[in-house]
Amino acid sequence: MTILVTGGAGFIGTHLTKRLLDEGHIVLAVDNFCSNYDPELKRRNVANFKNQPGYYLFEGDIRESHFLHLLFGTYPVDAVIHLAGLAGVRPSLQKPAAYFDTNVTGTVTLLQTMQDFKVDKMVFASSSSVYGERNETPFRESDLIEGLASPYAISKRTGEMVIQNAHQLYGLNAYCLRFFTVYGPNQRPDMAISSFIRRLFAGERIQLFGTGQSVRDYTYVNDIVAGIVRAVERVSGFEIINLGSGRPIALIDLVRHLEYFTGRKARIEYRPDQLGDVSRTFADLSKAAQLLGYQPRVLLEEGLQRMVNGFQAEQTFLLEEK
């Protein structure tokens, strides 16, 4: 299968690309290498793929219709895995217009191009953020969505809605996958676990918002990738599906785990609750198990150990390069 992966140079995108290539698929990776974090990190992510058979990298923006039409007109695309977009709850509070432009306008432009070229299979990266603040757990796909807490969450929910509309109007087959706090090697440097590991080894303070009792359903990237691959193989009709670990943990307990794996004591600075954040996430995985055969396999302790090992290996490599 020839699969177009938007956001193909990002954290999840590069892990996904490796899996797709290993399974014999052709990957058309699209990324605009924007500066929301260091573009050189993304270029390093894709460096190992450049000489692999079946891999093609295109630098361009999904909001540009001409770019997409040229790409779809040149290569026979069987399915699209749409990961591209601005990520992060807190940054979206500062620049909501950019989030709606990229995450909504970009998705609409991509959907229009797919319709023009009669490509009828999409897997979309949504987010647990769409559930907003709620007390009842675990979060189920059938839950009423209201009270979204950030522009990022609204942009992702809007993406789901325009994709559902394309299904209703044009017969698009689409699965919207709600990711629950994805972590693993090469995670974006602004995300909590990457930041905590870096700060622990540097002896810098770690900022925890609130009391440290906020709860997240952390999901290892290999499990997310397995769910995405199964989704693109099985996509039919329209569905919203959670992908998580189903094992939520409090933020302060996460820090204690990282102290153990790094051998460093955290210097914690408590800050007021952050606007846009929610107190908990917790994925119900029964629908993912039923439709995708999805079962997360990497326990948090194992995943954190892999991240710490990866960070140490990277630091050793950088020292040797100097």
Side-chain angles (χ1 to χ4, degrees):
M1 202 164 30
T2 298
I3 302 173
L4 189 150
V5 179
T6 71
F11 162 49
I12 299 174
T14 47
H15 283 274
L16 173 64
T17 293
K18 183 180 185 307
R19 172 72 178 265
L20 292 174
L21 290 173
D22 287 346
E23 295 194 359
H25 298 292
I26 295 172
V27 175
L28 312 177
V30 173
D31 208 290
N32 68 351
F33 294 91
C34 67
S35 58
N36 58 327
Y37 65 95
D38 186 359
E40 285 306 309
L41 294 177
K42 292 184 178 181
R43 297 192 189 280
R44 279 166 46 194
N45 284 346
V46 299
N48 292 332
F49 300 131
K50 288 187 176 179
N51 296 320
Q52 288 198 32
Y55 178 77
Y56 303 88
L57 175 65
F58 305 91
E59 186 164 350
D61 197 306
I62 60 169
R63 294 169 293 182
E64 297 176 0
S65 179
H66 176 73
F67 163 71
L68 290 178
H69 274 73
L70 183 61
L71 181 55
F72 277 76
T74 305
Y75 296 88
V77 177
D78 295 309
V80 173
I81 299 176
H82 181 25
L83 307 178
L86 289 178
V89 167
R90 294 169 191 166
S92 76
L93 303 178
Q94 307 303 319
K95 45 182 182 180
Y99 273 70
F100 290 118
D101 185 30
T102 301
N103 296 357
V104 179
T105 302
T107 299
V108 171
T109 305
L110 180 60
L111 287 169
Q112 180 63 60
T113 307
M114 291 177 65
Q115 182 189 344
D116 292 343
F117 287 89
K118 296 180 170 48
V119 178
D120 66 351
K121 293 181 180 180
M122 172 184 272
V123 173
F124 172 60
S126 189
S127 168
S128 61
S129 299
V130 305
Y131 286 106
E133 181 63 51
R134 61 183 62 224
N135 295 318
E136 185 177 346
T137 58
F139 299 173
R140 296 178 174 86
E141 296 88 345
S142 57
D143 289 348
L144 178 65
I145 300 300
E146 57 184 2
L148 284 78
S150 68
Y152 171 67
I154 296 170
S155 74
K156 283 298 184 181
R157 178 59 181 145
T158 305
E160 293 179 352
M161 294 170 69
V162 296
I163 290 168
Q164 183 175 22
N165 182 248
H167 162 70
Q168 293 168 338
L169 293 178
Y170 310 115
L172 176 72
N173 296 293
Y175 284 176
C176 297
L177 308 179
R178 290 177 177 167
F179 297 164
F180 282 69
T181 315
V182 189
Y183 74 101
N186 298 325
Q187 185 188 43
R188 288 197 336 262
D190 60 298
M191 294 189 73
I193 296 177
S194 288
S195 174
F196 291 170
I197 292 172
R198 185 175 65 253
R199 290 178 177 275
L200 279 165
F201 278 113
E204 298 174 352
R205 291 183 181 275
I206 289 176
Q207 292 185 349
L208 298 188
F209 294 94
T211 63
Q213 296 304 314
S214 61
V215 172
R216 292 290 180 271
D217 191 328
Y218 295 97
T219 316
Y220 194 68
V221 64
N222 288 10
D223 287 328
I224 291 291
V225 164
I228 297 171
V229 171
R230 192 64 62 86
V232 80
E233 292 171 347
R234 298 189 179 189
V235 60
S236 178
F238 175 83
E239 298 288 350
I240 292 173
I241 305 171
N242 291 336
L243 291 186
S245 72
R247 304 182 187 96
I249 184 175
L251 184 59
I252 189 64
D253 294 329
L254 174 75
V255 172
R256 300 307 178 211
H257 281 312
L258 289 173
E259 286 181 322
Y260 175 78
F261 291 122
T262 61
R264 308 296 176 94
K265 181 67 176 176
R267 300 168 59 206
I268 298 175
E269 177 185 346
Y270 289 96
R271 303 295 300 275
D273 285 326
Q274 183 76 16
L275 285 175
D277 280 353
V278 297
S279 61
R280 65 183 60 82
T281 64
F282 183 177
D284 182 291
L285 302 177
S286 55
K287 188 173 182 181
Q290 177 186 0
L291 294 182
L292 305 179
Y294 174 79
Q295 182 177 354
R297 299 187 181 280
V298 180
L299 295 175
L300 180 66
E301 294 82 358
E302 180 184 354
L304 294 179
Q305 181 69 77
R306 292 182 190 179
M307 282 196 69
V308 170
N309 292 347
F311 177 84
Q312 291 176 307
E314 180 183 17
Q315 296 308 300
T316 300
F317 172 79
L318 292 174
L319 284 173
E320 292 173 348
E321 285 288 292
K322 290 183 178 179

